[in-house]
Amino acid sequence: MLSFISAKEAAEKWNISQRRVAILCSENRIEGAMMVGNMWIIPSTAEKPVDKRTIRYEKQNAVQLKPFVKWVGGKSQLVDELEKFLPTDGERILTKYVEPMVGGGALLFSILSKYDFEQIYISDINAELVNAYNAIKYNIDALITKLTEMQLLFLPMDENGRKYFYYSARDKFNSLVLNDSNSVEKAALFIFLNKTCFNGLYRVNKKGQFNVPMGAYKNPCICDEENLRNVSTALQNVEIVCGDYSLSKSIIDRESFVYIDPPYRPISKTSGFTSYNTDVFDDKEQIRLAQFINEINEAGAKIVLSNSDPQNINEEDTFFEDLDKSDTIKKVEASRMINSKSDGRGKIKELLICN
C-alpha cells in the first residue's frame, strides 16, 4: 500500500524549505503529490526533483571572498544550508539582500562572491566592527599599510614580546575615541586584536572596553592583503549602517531577502555570550526581534533567522516555536567553538527559521 508524507516531512527529507516543496507540488514536479484539504501530501517513495538555482543571480568570473575577521557565532559552516533558502526557479525574483545584524558576514561574503543583487544593505550595532567595514570600503590602502606594519613587527617576536605588543595595542584601542581622524587606525587595531586574541572573541566590559586576552597562535595572518582588496571592491556597492537592526525596516519590501543572525539565546546558564556590546541581548530582545520579523514579514520579504536550539538542553523548551507558530523551523548541526576547553566543543543543533 502506497504511503504518504507531509510537505514538512518532505522538506526535511530533501533538505529544502517547506514552501519550496509546496511550489514543486503546485507545478506538478513531484509525481503522485496531491492536495488533501489545504495541505499537500507526497508519496514517501517520491524523489526530490532536480531544482537548479536560477542563473539570474549567478555572477560570472566570481572572486571568492572570505570574512576579514573571526567572529563568535560566525556562519561559515552553515553557508551552504543558508543559501538553500535563496529563491530558485519558479519563485519570485528578489533584488535586495539585507543583513541587519551582519557580524563577521560569512553569508554576506558568499553572496557577494556568487550572486548579483541590485541593492545590498548591511548593518550592525557594534560601531568598531562597522568602522572596520567602512575602512576597508573607503581607505583600503592606508588600512593595509598599517596592518602590514603590525604584522612585520609582531610575527618575529618571542612570546614575551608578543604579549607586550598585544596588550599595548589593546590599551591603545581602548583609549582611542572613534572619530574621522583615527578611524583607519582603530580599524587596523580592531583587525589586529581579532586575529591575535583568544578564539577571535570580541567581548567588552561594562565600560565598553575590549578585554579579551591574547591567544596562542604561531603564525596568525594579520594582513590578508588579497582578500582585503577583493572585499573592498565588493563593498563599493554595499550600504553600510551602524545602528539597530530596526533601521533596515524602511528599505525592506517584497523584493528583499533578509538574513538575521542575532546573538544566540543561551542554551544553558553558563553558555551565554551576548556581550558584543555593553547591552545584553536577553529574552526581551529576542521577543522584540520576533516582533520586527513579523513586521517585515507583512511587507512580503523572504526572511531567514538563525538561533540556538534550546532543546539541546531542555526538550520541553519551545521558546522559538511559541514566538511564531507559522514559521518553518529547520534543525541543523553546527560545531560549538566558544568553549575554552576542547571537550566542551562539539556538534549541537541550531535553528534556521524561515517564513
Side-chain angles (χ1 to χ4, degrees):
M1 181 178 178
L2 184 63
S3 61
F4 290 85
I5 58 176
S6 67
K8 181 179 180 180
E9 291 170 326
E12 293 174 352
K13 178 181 177 181
W14 294 336
N15 208 21
I16 59 178
S17 69
Q18 185 175 340
R19 182 172 180 272
R20 185 62 188 150
V21 173
I23 289 173
L24 293 170
C25 289
S26 66
E27 294 175 347
N28 297 318
R29 295 178 63 184
I30 302 177
E31 186 175 353
M34 65 181 70
M35 179 73 78
V36 176
N38 62 351
M39 63 178 289
W40 287 99
I41 60 172
I42 296 106
S44 58
T45 57
E47 295 184 358
K48 177 184 176 181
V50 176
D51 193 13
K52 295 181 179 178
R53 197 164 303 286
T54 176
I55 196 69
R56 64 177 175 250
Y57 292 111
E58 294 179 0
K59 284 187 175 181
Q60 302 299 315
N61 303 317
V63 175
Q64 187 65 41
L65 304 173
K66 299 178 296 183
F68 61 88
V69 289
K70 296 177 286 184
W71 207 248
V72 171
K75 293 299 171 292
S76 294
Q77 60 184 316
L78 295 181
V79 163
D80 290 343
E81 289 287 342
L82 291 166
E83 287 185 356
K84 291 175 183 177
F85 292 96
L86 284 167
T88 51
D89 282 332
E91 296 190 82
R92 70 181 190 267
I93 295 176
L94 300 181
T95 61
K96 299 177 183 178
Y97 176 79
V98 181
E99 190 169 348
M101 303 176 88
V102 68
L107 182 58
L108 166 72
F109 291 118
S110 182
I111 293 291
L112 288 171
S113 298
K114 300 176 184 177
Y115 306 109
D116 275 318
F117 282 88
E118 294 177 9
Q119 184 176 356
I120 298 180
Y121 173 105
I122 63 172
S123 65
D124 202 281
I125 202 169
N126 187 320
E128 301 294 354
L129 175 65
V130 173
N131 177 61
Y133 274 95
N134 279 320
I136 292 172
K137 178 176 179 177
Y138 296 112
N139 296 293
I140 187 60
D141 289 333
L143 179 64
I144 285 175
T145 296
K146 289 185 177 295
L147 286 172
T148 301
E149 290 173 354
M150 285 190 282
Q151 181 167 272
L152 291 173
L153 288 170
F154 184 79
L155 292 185
M157 292 178 173
D158 60 18
E159 184 177 357
N160 287 332
R162 285 187 173 191
K163 283 184 177 180
Y164 180 81
F165 191 100
Y166 175 87
Y167 288 106
S168 295
R170 194 179 76 171
D171 289 343
K172 188 171 186 180
F173 176 79
N174 285 328
S175 67
L176 288 175
V177 178
L178 180 61
N179 56 48
D180 291 341
S181 66
N182 64 27
S183 59
V184 174
E185 182 177 13
K186 284 221 77 175
L189 288 167
F190 176 87
I191 294 172
F192 167 78
L193 292 170
N194 175 266
K195 297 294 187 180
T196 56
C197 73
F198 173 75
N199 270 7
L201 180 64
Y202 188 86
R203 183 188 64 199
V204 296
N205 58 25
K206 292 181 178 180
K207 296 180 180 180
Q209 295 181 321
F210 180 77
N211 64 355
V212 182
M214 189 178 81
Y217 304 103
K218 290 184 178 180
N219 191 34
C221 181
I222 295 165
C223 183
D224 185 348
E225 180 173 354
E226 181 180 3
N227 185 61
L228 285 171
R229 290 195 181 279
N230 288 336
V231 167
S232 178
T233 299
L235 289 177
Q236 296 308 305
N237 296 319
V238 176
E239 183 179 358
I240 304 170
V241 174
C242 182
D244 188 74
Y245 60 83
S246 60
L247 297 176
S248 64
K249 182 180 176 181
S250 61
I251 71 160
I252 294 174
D253 55 25
R254 71 177 313 276
E255 295 183 351
S256 304
F257 181 89
V258 184
Y259 173 54
I260 301 176
D261 181 29
Y264 274 18
R265 184 171 184 259
I267 58 175
S268 72
K269 292 181 179 180
T270 59
S271 68
F273 175 76
T274 57
S275 300
Y276 299 99
N277 303 281
T278 53
D279 296 327
V280 175
F281 206 90
D282 56 15
D283 277 1
K284 288 183 179 179
E285 285 299 314
Q286 297 285 358
I287 293 169
R288 182 171 79 94
L289 176 60
Q291 293 168 342
F292 168 77
I293 290 172
N294 287 336
E295 292 172 0
I296 60 175
N297 181 50
E298 291 178 0
K302 173 66 177 177
I303 308 163
V304 180
L305 168 80
S306 53
N307 217 307
S308 59
D309 181 3
Q311 293 177 352
N312 281 298
I313 302 297
N314 180 4
E315 292 184 359
E316 297 182 0
D317 190 336
T318 57
F319 179 83
F320 291 107
E321 289 88 342
D322 295 338
L323 278 181
D324 193 339
K325 299 182 185 300
S326 65
D327 286 339
T328 298
I329 298 179
K330 179 178 181 180
K331 297 190 177 187
V332 295
E333 279 194 346
S335 296
R336 181 190 305 193
M337 299 300 292
I338 191 171
N339 201 308
S340 61
K341 298 180 180 179
S342 60
D343 60 1
R345 307 177 190 179
K347 293 290 185 181
I348 61 169
K349 293 290 185 181
E350 294 190 4
L351 302 180
L352 299 180
I353 306 170
C354 68
N355 60 351

